Amino acid sequence: MKILCVCGLGQGTSLILRMNVETVLRDLGITADVENTDVSTASSMSPDYIVTSNELAQTLEGTSSKVIIVNNYFDMNEIKTALQENLQ
């Protein structure tokens, strides 16, 4: 399973989201390849899942990846709930 964490510039915020997603996945016992990038690059990639904010999710419409929305990249409970509800 490949997961892409996306923010506007693909540097600081998406890196923090990536680290928090990796922590939640580890707690859930789920193995995945997690990367981070910017929204422009993400639109040309095809991971299984993209984790991003509601605002950026709108720019990723049409992607073949399932988009998981997390509004607070620092809220571990929100990330955990979003991943549990969307990962299959």
Side-chain angles (χ1 to χ4, degrees), residues 18-42:
R18 173 186 168 185
M19 292 187 308
N20 289 339
V21 165
E22 288 174 331
T23 299
V24 168
L25 291 173
R26 190 171 35 252
D27 291 347
L28 294 173
I30 298 172
T31 303
D33 179 22
V34 185
E35 296 180 16
N36 62 291
T37 191
D38 64 280
V39 69
S40 296
T41 303

Side-chain angles (χ1 to χ4, degrees), residues 2-88:
K2 185 167 185 167
I3 299 174
L4 198 57
C5 298
V6 176
C7 72
L9 298 176
Q11 298 179 357
T13 308
S14 64
L15 179 59
I16 291 168
L17 178 60
R18 173 186 168 185
M19 292 187 308
N20 289 339
V21 165
E22 288 174 331
T23 299
V24 168
L25 291 173
R26 190 171 35 252
D27 291 347
L28 294 173
I30 298 172
T31 303
D33 179 22
V34 185
E35 296 180 16
N36 62 291
T37 191
D38 64 280
V39 69
S40 296
T41 303
S43 63
S44 65
M45 300 174 73
S46 55
D48 299 307
Y49 299 94
I50 294 175
V51 182
T52 191
S53 68
N54 189 41
E55 294 81 17
L56 295 178
Q58 295 172 9
T59 64
L60 294 167
E61 288 182 4
T63 182
S64 61
S65 305
K66 182 171 178 80
V67 178
I68 300 172
I69 295 173
V70 174
N71 290 306
N72 184 344
Y73 293 180
F74 298 94
D75 186 340
M76 300 298 277
N77 288 327
E78 181 183 359
I79 294 169
K80 182 177 182 180
T81 300
L83 293 177
Q84 286 178 316
E85 290 176 354
N86 290 285
L87 297 182
Q88 300 175 16

